[in-house]
Amino acid sequence: QIVVSDQQQIDLNSQYLTMVGGFLSELSLSRSNELKALQEQMLKLEKRLGFLLRQIPGNFWVTDDKLRITMFAGDNLETLGIEADDIIGKTVYELYPSRGPNSLPITMQEKALQGQSVNFIMGHLGYNFECRIEPFRDELGNIIGTLGLAFDITERTKANLALTESEERFRDLFENAADIIFTLDLKGNIISVNRSGELLTGFTRDMLTGMPISELIAPWGKDKLKQAFTDLNETNFEIEIIDRCGKLKHLDVRTRLILKNGKPVEVQGNARDITVQKKAQMELKLSEERLAESEARLRALSEASFEG
């Protein structure tokens, strides 16, 4: 049996405590270094996330389950005169006080908080935004807030409006033109025709759509129409049609071939009713013929007369 003196026991205890203290110190330093490294990594990730969020061509925000803004970033905050720090901590109800509790942005935020993914377009401070809001869930799938993204579509909206106005002007010109404006497929079937085409032919637009143009042409004009379709680049010719009531009408027609990616796709044309002019020309020609006949008879009578 080994007998240990009190002094030896004290020395052993001291050595043990020193060893434990050193171990705890090393462990604490290791943990401290790990925590510091982790904090540095998180800081780098936050900076990277902030940088990425600032590059998003729109606005990004996060709310909690009370619809309180916890994060807000975007590339056009300065344009809108908004500071992110002034928004964080406020609820969406505070951001849109003049719109009321049933306004579009608030209603959509509430739907996202209830689990729906929503898309909508809204105007704010003279700008138009296309928005998408998603439920924000934790690792267990519980909804803890919302995630929102808004893209500035002001210029696109203006461009679409200008395009719509241009289309309306074209449609008004198309419908109210005095001439017939039409399009044909490459087989000669009518694709579209304006109101003047209905008035001139007596057929409704529905009846004309899909009808072969040859069904309107007078029998003696079939060869002329065929020749016109032989050279589709650009043609100008006169032709006669027979309307729904059987009346003969004269048209001055201009057509041109429409290409898409270098390939012909359809024929566009306009036709002017020249029936009145043709009738006047025919009457003038008939009058001239009658005048010539009258002059010939007068001349023959004068030459056959014994007295001057």
Side-chain angles (χ1 to χ4, degrees):
Q1 183 177 3
I2 300 175
V3 178
V4 180
S5 66
D6 292 342
Q7 184 60 43
Q8 288 177 328
Q9 185 66 44
I10 291 173
D11 291 341
L12 288 173
N13 290 341
S14 178
Q15 292 176 3
Y16 175 75
L17 291 175
T18 301
M19 183 179 64
V20 171
F23 174 76
L24 291 175
S25 177
E26 291 179 2
L27 181 62
S28 176
L29 180 61
S30 176
R31 291 291 179 85
S32 177
N33 291 336
E34 288 180 3
L35 181 60
K36 184 178 180 181
L38 182 60
Q39 289 175 340
E40 290 178 353
Q41 186 177 2
M42 289 180 63
L43 183 61
K44 289 180 180 179
L45 288 174
E46 288 179 357
K47 289 183 178 179
R48 185 177 300 176
L49 177 61
F51 175 77
L52 291 175
L53 289 177
R54 286 191 296 273
Q55 304 307 308
I56 294 176
N59 298 324
F60 173 81
W61 67 92
V62 181
T63 75
D64 59 18
D65 59 352
K66 304 298 182 183
L67 293 182
R68 185 181 295 106
I69 305 294
T70 59
M71 180 185 292
F72 197 97
D75 68 339
N76 57 359
L77 296 182
E78 294 182 1
T79 304
L80 296 173
I82 297 174
E83 293 289 341
D85 293 338
D86 296 336
I87 294 177
I88 295 176
K90 291 184 178 181
T91 66
V92 294
Y93 304 102
E94 296 175 286
L95 294 178
Y96 305 103
S98 62
R99 298 184 178 233
N102 296 323
S103 66
L104 180 63
I106 292 177
T107 300
M108 293 302 173
Q109 287 280 173
E110 290 175 341
K111 286 184 176 182
L113 194 60
Q114 294 168 4
Q116 299 183 42
S117 299
V118 294
N119 295 281
F120 62 99
I121 295 176
M122 64 168 287
H124 184 63
L125 299 178
Y127 293 85
N128 295 308
F129 294 93
E130 183 176 0
C131 307
R132 180 175 180 85
I133 306 178
E134 295 280 350
F136 185 23
R137 303 177 186 271
D138 61 15
E139 62 274 8
L140 299 177
N142 300 315
I143 297 177
I144 58 174
T146 65
L147 298 172
L149 189 61
F151 296 100
D152 184 358
I153 59 170
T154 305
E155 294 303 320
R156 191 176 77 189
T157 302
K158 291 180 180 179
N160 288 339
L161 180 60
L163 178 61
T164 300
E165 291 175 350
S166 176
E167 289 176 346
E168 288 177 351
R169 287 194 297 269
F170 173 77
R171 189 177 300 111
D172 182 69
L173 177 64
F174 177 80
E175 289 297 330
N176 297 303
D179 291 351
I180 301 173
I181 301 176
F182 61 90
T183 57
L184 309 174
D185 63 22
L186 299 181
K187 294 181 180 180
N189 300 315
I190 299 173
I191 298 175
S192 65
V193 65
N194 65 347
R195 186 159 39 203
S196 292
E198 292 182 299
L199 296 176
L200 184 70
T201 64
F203 293 96
T204 66
R205 198 168 315 193
D206 290 339
M207 297 170 68
L208 289 170
T209 302
M211 178 188 294
I213 191 69
S214 58
E215 291 187 9
L216 296 173
I217 305 302
W220 54 88
K222 304 288 186 182
D223 291 339
K224 185 182 291 187
L225 179 67
K226 185 177 180 180
Q227 180 61 37
F229 261 80
T230 301
D231 182 16
L232 285 174
N233 289 328
E234 188 166 350
T235 57
N236 183 202
F237 56 94
E238 293 183 4
I239 203 165
E240 294 80 33
I241 68 168
I242 299 176
D243 68 12
R244 192 178 183 185
C245 297
K247 293 182 179 179
L248 183 67
K249 295 182 178 179
H250 300 264
L251 300 181
D252 179 26
V253 182
R254 295 177 182 270
T255 62
R256 66 188 183 97
L257 186 64
I258 303 300
L259 303 177
K260 187 175 182 180
N261 298 326
K263 296 181 179 180
V265 291
E266 65 182 25
V267 177
Q268 286 184 355
N270 67 284
R272 178 166 298 177
D273 184 4
I274 57 172
T275 305
V276 175
Q277 294 92 316
K278 280 292 182 179
K279 184 177 180 180
Q281 290 176 1
M282 292 174 64
E283 290 178 350
L284 178 60
K285 183 178 180 180
L286 182 60
S287 297
E288 290 175 346
E289 291 175 352
R290 289 175 178 173
L291 179 60
E293 291 177 359
S294 178
E295 289 177 347
R297 287 197 299 269
L298 181 60
R299 188 179 304 108
L301 180 61
S302 175
E303 291 175 352
S305 176
F306 293 106
E307 295 180 0

